[in-house]
Structure formats: structure tokens, C-alpha cells
Amino acid sequence: MAEAAIDVYENEDRTFPPSAEFVAAANAGDRSMYDEADADYEAFWARQARELLTWDTPFTQTLDWQLPYAKWFEDGKLNVSANCLDRHVEAGRGDKVAFYWEGEPGDKVVLTYSQLLTEVKKFANVLKEIGVKKGDRVAIYMPMILELPIAMLACTRIGAAHSVIFGGFSADAIADRCIDAEAKLIVTADAGYRRGSPALLKPTVDTALETGAPSVENVVVVNRCNTEPEMVEGRDHWWHELMAGASVECPAEPMEAEHLLYLLYTSGTTAKPKGIMHTTGGYLTQVAFTHKYVFDLKPDTDIYWCAADIGWVTGHSYIVYGPLTNGCTSVMYEGTPDTPGKNRLWDIIERYKVTQLYTAPTAIRMFMKWGVEEPQKHDLSSLRVLGTVGEPINPEAWMWYHEHIGGSARPIVDTWWQTETGANMITPLPGVTTTKPGSATHPIPGVFAELVDDDGNVVEEGGGYLTITKPWPSMLRGIWGDEARYFETYWSTYEGRYFAGDGAKLDKDGYLWLLGRVDDVMNVSGHRISTTEVESALVDHEAVAEAAVVGAKDELTGQAIIGYVILRGTHSASDELGSEIREHVGVKLGKIARPKTVIIVPDLPKTRSGKIMRRLLRDVADGRQLGDTTTLADPGVVAEIAERAGAGDED
Ligand code: PRX
């Protein structure tokens, strides 16, 4: 099979069964849900949809599956914001805290379900006033402030689809996404706090709108940091001014179960990001189900914290939709984990008595580097379940999380899933599964996965490509505006199977070990970045003639972006030019896509058919100490590339 990004952990045989105490109180304490779902997975999901959600029109059909198109609960109707808010308030839980929000400078807001509902209703009316209708798309480019979930929920209330754009993305990225989605409106903020100072957002939106996105008629701006942005007359409006005049009456409109809930753009193997489509009923069912059982959520007593950014799917499903559907109290934090000190997370956990923490391996590795003294300064005994997501977790990081954050007693749930899958797919259930450090263990009840080899034969033990064999409720419904690409990307590689793009290994005990992407997608700090996208941004620089990008192994970020570039004739290599090229990618795509190292080379190794030999470039990068800088191709690299290119062909 194609080479996966990380090594296989052949010798990991430590096991961690759930404690008897945990099992006794667990939402799922035995295997009965697996048995139920194995017997009839459609009936299983129908039961979850009925039990976890409130339907305006109950569904009678569970699944219509015409590969690659799934329709779940199709004749049912429901409203997402009503499931997240109204029903909890109507049941007398309006005073329950929805979010303990904490800004980076230390400002705090406590928002109850009733208060959140009022804000959502008001903003839904603002959307209507401004001309947003059911079926329209609304782009949201915001920091981690409460107005972000409010804007999302307001969209769901009136049936507009949101398209959240991560706050670190560039003007070009905003313009591309707004053009593709034909967004009518952008909701943004002047800025958000990052590492002690405002990181500006509104000027980036202005630049995006200068270059394109003619569909955008209005921009609503939250005043978070008082940075006094320029406001374009007639186009730009202050959030607080619009909200001041908004009515608090806004009934939730029942939506068809298959109504488009949101688009979320993610990188694929080409330069153009894909607008992943998620719909209403199936998505909400699986996020609510997984949030309840994977995190063993007890809504009456838990204080849950997903420390991701809402700009990614993790934040959509596990900061906004899962937790609110289940009526739980969450912590939401605006800033970075090292501001004002490297104990910020642990301090928040101690103060709010957080019971579940959901974070990423890259963050855990960073905490390891910062040292155990930071968490040891704090009482973390409130924690009950620890989650991880976004990339393979190495056993060392798993063990550190287990010992130093979990006091060697809390279950860890390593959750494998994707923007496309909408919700957790492969993960332990904390009251059921015996875990192994570094393994995401097994698919959840109602999800079915198999590994296949290059020819599509099922692999019972050993390495293979991860495929999903049956439709699941929160699966993507397509790629916005590109049906052909939807089929081709996910359903054409292996007949009848969803191809995830990941390599994995099944061990002798039937445990799954995810090994990373097998396509031209990199995973940097849990963020998906396409090699092709970065290559396009590199060659967009006037000095660059040709570029090849690879993800090299990186101790902290999992993979690091390494760009090999050939300069155009008139340019000569220098550190300054290399830095300028790196920065250019940052401006084109956003800082997260900026290569760690740009290596200026006289030539790129190619196969006889002209394909760049990326594996060779990755090997070269893996074998070197790479700094956060430009590396001029020293004769050693060039010789190595040349020598290795001569040694074998790769097609
Ligand atoms: O390679 C897998 C990796 O992240 C990819 C999905 O990225 P994205 O759509 O951005 O969603 C990330 C958050 C759900 C997958 O194809 N990945 C995600 N979770 C894990 C993982 N790899 C290994 N173990 C995980 N737990």
C-alpha cells in the first residue's frame, strides 16, 4: 500500500480497561449497543434519532441509500436551534449555563440557555431584515467569541446554511469560499485576541471583498477589540446596532431532515478546497449520540470543554451542535493556551471544574514540552474523560496525557473522524472499551469500517486503506457544486465503499491504528492542508518557477510543510528570498499553510513520466534537521536528491 505518514506501533501491548467504578455509572457500560446496531443499524440509528432529538414532524423512513447519496429520516422535520435551545428552555432548564466563556485577556461571560436563545432569536431576525432567506449561504469569519455560535444557530433557525471560515485564513481563502458558496453575507468581528493583542479580521474581509465575491451584499461586524475598522457605507453594519433594534420573537422554522445545515471547506488533493455539505437530521443525530456516549456526558453535572476552534469541524460538532443538543454546560475559550501563561488550560479546568477535555495530539505534545510542572500546579481531579482528535496520537503522548492529566485513572477516547464524516466514527466508548495507547480502537455502534489492500481485497490483519462500508447519519451529502468530484474522491476508488484517504493497521486483537493520510493531504497540527494548494501558492510568487511540497515528520506538529522550489532564471537564491516566498504562502492561504522550510533547489527529482517523486523529497526532508527558515539547497541535498533519483523510479 502507499506509504502512510507515521510508523506502525508494532510492539504496543499495554492495555487499559475501564474501571469498575466508571463502568457502573457509564452511559454505555456494556456492548449491548454494538449488538443492537450489528443486528439492524438502520433501526439503531432511528432509535437514536427519536430519543436524542425533538421532531416537528416525526420521520417514517429511516434511510434511502442510492450510492453515493444517502438520505436519512427524509420525511421528518425539525429545527436545529430548537433542538439546541428552545426545548431545554421549555423543559424548565433555561437558567442552566450553556457557556462559560472566557476571553483571552481574562474577561468572562456566563450565558444561560434562555439568554442564548434570546440572542439567537434576535440575530435570526437581523438576518431576515438584511434579506437572508432559507437556503441562502452565510459566511462567518470570527474569533472564538459567543457571537460565533449565536450566528450559526441563528442561521439554522431560519434555514440559511452557514459556512464558517477559520479566523486564521487569508483574504484569498475568504474570497474563494464566498465565491464558491455564493455567500450573501459575511459575519465577522473587528478582531480577536491572540497572544495578548488583537489579531485583525475585518481588514482581511475588506481585502477579500475588494478582490471578488460579488454575491456578498452585507457585512456584519462584532466590535470585540475596539480596533475601529473602516466601515463601508451601506455594506458594513455593527452587530450591536442591528441587535439593539431586533425583536426577540422568532419562531423556529421546521426544516426537512435533509435540508442543508452548513458548508465547511476542507482541503483535498487539488488546489481547490471542497465545500463539504452537511444536512440537518442525520448530522444532529450522530453528533448528539457520539457526544453523549463517547464523552459519557452527564448533562446535569458535567462541565464539558472542547478546546478546539469552531472554524474546524471539531468545533462545529463538539463545541456547538453536540453539546447544545444534549443540553450540557460547556467552557469556551477565545485565546491561545500559552497566554498569559503556559498553565492557561489547567487553570481553566481547575476554576470551572471541567469534567471532559477534548484536545489534539499536537497540543498534548506541546504541553509535554512545556513540562509537567504546569499541570501539577493545578487540581485536575474534576476530569472524568479525556479526548483527542485530529491526527494519530503517538503512544508517548497518550501515556503523558493519561498519567499527567488523567492521574493514571481517566479513560482516553482517541476519536478518528473527518470533516466529511461529521461526527466521531472510530473511537473507544469509555465505559466499554479496553484502550491501547495510540489506537483509536473500533468503530462506534452503527458504523462499519474495513481495511482493504491495493486491489480492494479486505485485510483482516495488517496494513491497508481505511474504508467505511455502510452509510452513516452524519456523512457528507456531497461537495457543494461538484457532484462528480464527490463520487470520484470518496466512492470511486473501491466499489461500494467510502474511501477515507487514511492508511490504517488492524492488529491481532482487531484494534485499528490510524496511520495518517495516504494521499497528497498533509496533517499539520491536526489541520488538513493540501500539498497542491501550497504548491499553487508557491508558484504564485514571481520568483518561483516550479514547486513541490511534502509533509515531513515533525515531533510537535505531526507533519511540517516543506516546500522545494526552483527559481526563475533571473532570481538568485538567498535567505531573504526564501523568507519572502514563505510569507507569500502565508498571505495567500493563511499562516497555518506557511511552509516551515523552503528549500531552494536547482532541480526536482522526477520520474520518466514527469511526475515529481514526492516520497524521495519526503525522505530527504525527514533525514534533515529543518529549521523554521529557508534552506538553500546545499550540494549535499542536491547530490542526495540526484543520487536517490537515479537509484530508483517511482510511478
Ligand atoms: O487523517 C485523519 C486525521 O485527520 C483527517 C481529517 O481531518 P479533518 O477533516 O480536518 O478533521 C479533523 C477533525 C475530525 C483524517 O483523514 N485524523 C483525525 N482524527 C484522527 C486522525 N488520524 C488519526 N487518529 C485520529 N484520532
Side-chain angles (χ1 to χ4, degrees), residues 141-462:
Y141 181 68
M142 284 173 105
M144 284 286 289
I145 55 178
L146 285 165
E147 287 82 353
L148 170 51
I150 291 168
M152 293 163 77
L153 290 158
C155 288
T156 73
R157 199 158 186 90
I158 64 168
H162 55 70
S163 169
V164 177
I165 303 167
F166 173 60
F169 277 136
S170 64
D172 280 4
I174 299 171
D176 289 349
R177 285 158 173 76
C178 287
I179 291 167
D180 190 75
E182 292 178 85
K184 243 185 166 170
L185 167 74
I186 301 180
V187 186
T188 187
D190 65 327
Y193 287 101
R194 300 296 296 168
R195 298 215 158 80
S197 49
L200 301 181
L201 295 173
K202 172 63 168 53
T204 313
V205 170
D206 291 338
T207 311
L209 293 183
E210 271 161 32
T211 50
S215 59
V216 176
E217 293 162 5
N218 292 285
V219 178
V220 176
V221 188
V222 177
N223 187 23
R224 164 69 183 134
C225 301
N226 282 317
T227 58
E228 299 181 4
E230 238 176 80
M231 297 290 277
V232 175
E233 183 75 38
R235 185 195 75 184
D236 299 349
H237 318 271
W238 285 111
W239 171 289
H240 57 270
E241 287 177 5
L242 297 176
M243 289 290 268
S247 155
V248 294
E249 290 309 317
C250 180
E253 217 182 301
M255 299 293 152
E256 304 74 28
E258 283 298 340
H259 183 71
L260 183 67
L261 177 61
Y262 67 76
L263 298 179
L264 186 55
Y265 284 82
T266 188
S267 291
T269 51
T270 70
K272 190 175 178 303
K274 303 175 283 198
I276 301 300
M277 296 163 66
H278 282 294
T279 59
T280 302
Y283 172 81
L284 209 61
T285 300
Q286 194 169 333
V287 295
F289 172 78
T290 48
H291 182 251
K292 176 173 175 181
Y293 291 102
V294 174
F295 296 96
D296 191 50
L297 192 93
K298 311 277 196 263
D300 292 338
T301 47
D302 279 343
I303 309 288
Y304 161 92
W305 185 19
C306 169
D309 192 293
I310 295 177
W312 310 110
V313 74
T314 304
H316 281 60
S317 299
Y318 297 103
I319 297 178
V320 182
Y321 293 118
L324 294 175
T325 303
N326 289 333
C328 93
T329 297
S330 294
V331 169
M332 179 173 162
Y333 172 56
E334 176 187 31
T336 46
D338 57 354
T339 308
K342 292 188 165 71
N343 64 334
R344 186 64 188 253
L345 252 66
W346 322 124
D347 174 51
I348 290 177
I349 291 171
E350 178 172 10
R351 277 190 287 116
Y352 293 100
K353 300 201 176 355
V354 169
T355 44
Q356 287 93 349
L357 174 68
Y358 195 19
T359 185
T362 198
I364 297 167
R365 290 191 293 265
M366 194 169 63
F367 301 141
M368 285 171 76
K369 218 169 101 179
W370 292 348
V372 290
E373 305 75 38
E374 298 297 343
Q376 275 169 358
K377 287 184 212 152
H378 296 275
D379 177 4
L380 306 180
S381 60
S382 56
L383 287 168
R384 295 200 304 112
V385 180
L386 303 176
T388 150
V389 58
E391 50 181 321
I393 182 163
N394 45 314
E396 301 72 36
W398 196 102
M399 287 304 297
W400 189 90
Y401 201 25
H402 173 72
E403 284 169 15
H404 299 292
I405 308 306
S408 298
R410 280 40 165 211
I412 292 183
V413 288
D414 171 7
T415 60
W416 178 90
W417 57 297
Q418 307 177 294
T419 306
E420 291 88 339
T421 70
N424 296 165
M425 299 287 280
I426 301 175
T427 169
L429 293 188
V432 184
T433 315
T434 292
T435 52
K436 296 186 185 188
S439 166
T441 72
H442 311 291
I444 58 167
V447 166
F448 303 90
E450 277 176 352
L451 303 190
V452 295
D453 64 18
D454 280 310
D455 301 323
N457 302 313
V458 175
V459 172
E460 304 285 351
E461 195 184 324

Side-chain angles (χ1 to χ4, degrees), residues 8-9 12-14 393 395 436-441 451 503-507 511-516:
V8 181
Y9 308 117
E12 184 52 68
D13 53 10
R14 287 170 286 193
I393 182 163
K436 296 186 185 188
S439 166
T441 72
L451 303 190
K505 189 192 105 169
L506 254 177
D507 72 14
Y511 278 64
L512 278 163
W513 301 76
L514 278 307
L515 304 176

